Amino acid sequence: MPAGAATGASEVAPGLLRIESVMGSRRLAQWLVVGDDGALLLDTGIAGTVVDRIVPALAEVGLATEAVRDVIVSHADVDHYGGDAEARRLLPAARLGAHELDRPLIESWATIAAERYGWYRGYGLDYEPETWQWLADAAGAEAALDGTVEDGDVIDLGRIAVRVLHLPGHSLGHLGLFEPTSRTAIIADAAMADGFVDVGGERVSPPPYVDLGRYRETIERLRSLAPARIGTTHFPPIEGDEVEAFLDRCLGFTRELDRALDEALGDAPQGLPALLAACAERVGGYREMELELSRSLGAHLAARVEARAVERVELDGLPAWRRR
Ligand SMILES: [Zn+2]
């Protein structure tokens, strides 16, 4: 276990627990909101997380598995919903929910493999076979959700209540929670600074977002909530003055990638693999999952095409872009 990687359950504010483990080089956290009438779990991790981490964490804090009445999946990524089938089995009283825009991807491997993880194939890029295998394993068995959750829903657990936030950008249906008493925003992957970090704090993989405008709006919305702390899935807890600095870094990255794209785009059309290589180098490179920077580039390019600053054409049968 690398230094500085706390695992197990820790209370970050009254009634708000972070359940942390390590996934590859990164932290992986789920969040538990505990009231007098029951508990809410945000995210189920990857396949195995509920069995290995969440059920033991509940026991550690003296909660019965039946106390968990709500499971909210923040968004459609295997490290956030891969334990859904285990939650269905081991948390018998829980109602499983997600935002309607991400629900179809969360419920079906075929759908998320085609639309989220397979998106790159339409642009001449793809994950390595080992990564595909890891994703399929981490996704766990398919599990249907019980329903949907949306912005403004208030979940009252007795003595503590949380408000659901729709925080799109990383995915279109990304959800978070706001707890007003401690002013804690739990945002999973809704804002990702200049990339995810390893347990030692070193940046390892890019921040992928599918919609640039919505991602920037989400960052500003989080700022307007003036949280005392932000809880994420892959970063250590962010407290006090670090909150503004973190949100500045999130927004700053989108500007940095804009500048990298400005320098990379030319009069001759280029496909996404070429733009990815040029922009990754300009933003400093990533040692893991560098491919996912191209998802964010796709979002920047779509915004520029819409603003008629860039033209999307075809090159060797694949999409390509050039300055207008
Ligand atoms: Zn994640």
Side-chain angles (χ1 to χ4, degrees), residues 75 79-80 189 233-234:
H75 68 286
D79 52 333
H80 300 260
D189 294 352
T233 301
H234 307 292

Side-chain angles (χ1 to χ4, degrees), residues 80-139:
H80 300 260
Y81 75 81
D84 281 9
E86 293 163 34
R88 174 67 75 219
R89 189 159 46 84
L90 297 170
L91 308 175
R95 173 192 186 270
L96 273 65
H99 192 275
E100 62 177 348
L101 292 174
D102 277 23
R103 183 180 183 178
L105 286 80
I106 291 165
E107 292 183 320
S108 159
W109 170 252
T111 303
I112 197 168
E115 293 182 15
R116 194 274 191 229
Y117 300 124
W119 177 88
Y120 306 94
R121 289 176 167 166
Y123 299 88
L125 293 162
D126 203 351
Y127 291 112
E128 298 294 327
E130 311 83 73
T131 304
W132 273 107
Q133 188 60 54
W134 184 87
L135 289 167
D137 292 344

Side-chain angles (χ1 to χ4, degrees), residues 295-309:
R295 191 65 193 87
S296 306
L297 280 173
H300 284 252
L301 288 162
R304 285 173 186 226
V305 169
E306 204 182 311
R308 302 187 60 80

Side-chain angles (χ1 to χ4, degrees), residues 210-225:
V210 303
D211 187 305
L212 174 62
R214 290 200 176 106
Y215 184 60
R216 284 176 169 158
E217 282 167 20
T218 281
I219 296 163
E220 291 309 333
R221 184 173 182 201
L222 290 171
R223 204 190 294 279
S224 74
L225 290 170

Side-chain angles (χ1 to χ4, degrees), residues 23 26-28 43 74-75 77-80 170 174 188-189 196 233-234:
M23 172 183 73
R26 294 197 233 168
R27 292 163 200 270
L28 177 69
D43 287 342
S74 65
H75 68 286
D77 260 328
V78 296
D79 52 333
H80 300 260
H170 174 60
H174 198 298
D189 294 352
F196 295 110
T233 301
H234 307 292

Side-chain angles (χ1 to χ4, degrees), residues 12-311:
V12 302
L16 293 176
L17 276 77
R18 173 181 166 97
I19 302 169
E20 182 160 324
S21 54
V22 174
M23 172 183 73
S25 65
R26 294 197 233 168
R27 292 163 200 270
L28 177 69
Q30 299 79 43
W31 292 83
L32 198 63
V33 187
V34 184
D36 290 340
D37 303 336
L40 177 157
L41 175 70
L42 184 80
D43 287 342
T44 63
I46 56 174
T49 300
V50 173
V51 173
D52 298 340
R53 300 291 174 175
I54 293 168
V55 170
L58 291 169
E60 196 183 315
V61 298
L63 276 177
T65 50
E66 290 80 7
V68 181
R69 21 173 272 210
D70 289 284
V71 172
I72 294 180
V73 175
S74 65
H75 68 286
D77 260 328
V78 296
D79 52 333
H80 300 260
Y81 75 81
D84 281 9
E86 293 163 34
R88 174 67 75 219
R89 189 159 46 84
L90 297 170
L91 308 175
R95 173 192 186 270
L96 273 65
H99 192 275
E100 62 177 348
L101 292 174
D102 277 23
R103 183 180 183 178
L105 286 80
I106 291 165
E107 292 183 320
S108 159
W109 170 252
T111 303
I112 197 168
E115 293 182 15
R116 194 274 191 229
Y117 300 124
W119 177 88
Y120 306 94
R121 289 176 167 166
Y123 299 88
L125 293 162
D126 203 351
Y127 291 112
E128 298 294 327
E130 311 83 73
T131 304
W132 273 107
Q133 188 60 54
W134 184 87
L135 289 167
D137 292 344
E142 282 183 0
L145 302 178
D146 295 301
T148 56
V149 187
E150 60 184 38
D151 192 76
D153 286 357
V154 173
I155 300 167
D156 188 346
L157 298 152
R159 191 176 43 86
I160 190 167
V162 286
R163 183 155 52 88
V164 173
L165 306 171
H166 181 208
L167 303 171
H170 174 60
S171 76
L172 293 178
H174 198 298
L175 295 174
L177 301 172
F178 188 69
E179 197 282 299
T181 305
S182 65
R183 304 204 62 77
T184 302
I186 304 173
I187 68 161
D189 294 352
M192 302 162 284
D194 53 350
F196 295 110
V197 294
D198 66 14
V199 291
E202 192 181 325
R203 188 176 89 154
V204 287
S205 63
Y209 37 87
V210 303
D211 187 305
L212 174 62
R214 290 200 176 106
Y215 184 60
R216 284 176 169 158
E217 282 167 20
T218 281
I219 296 163
E220 291 309 333
R221 184 173 182 201
L222 290 171
R223 204 190 294 279
S224 74
L225 290 170
R229 71 183 55 74
I230 285 181
T232 70
T233 301
H234 307 292
F235 295 92
I238 298 155
E239 301 262 351
D241 292 347
E242 295 167 5
V243 168
E244 275 290 310
F246 177 79
L247 295 173
D248 286 346
R249 266 164 58 217
C250 296
L251 204 58
F253 177 82
T254 67
R255 299 202 184 102
E256 192 187 344
L257 194 56
D258 252 342
R259 284 192 295 272
L261 195 53
D262 278 337
E263 290 170 27
L265 282 165
D267 296 330
Q270 296 176 83
L272 202 52
L275 292 171
L276 169 62
C279 292
E281 197 189 343
R282 286 183 168 94
V283 299
Y286 296 93
R287 69 172 202 249
E288 292 175 17
M289 303 289 257
E290 192 163 82
L291 166 77
E292 295 202 335
L293 185 67
S294 70
R295 191 65 193 87
S296 306
L297 280 173
H300 284 252
L301 288 162
R304 285 173 186 226
V305 169
E306 204 182 311
R308 302 187 60 80
V310 161
E311 186 182 18

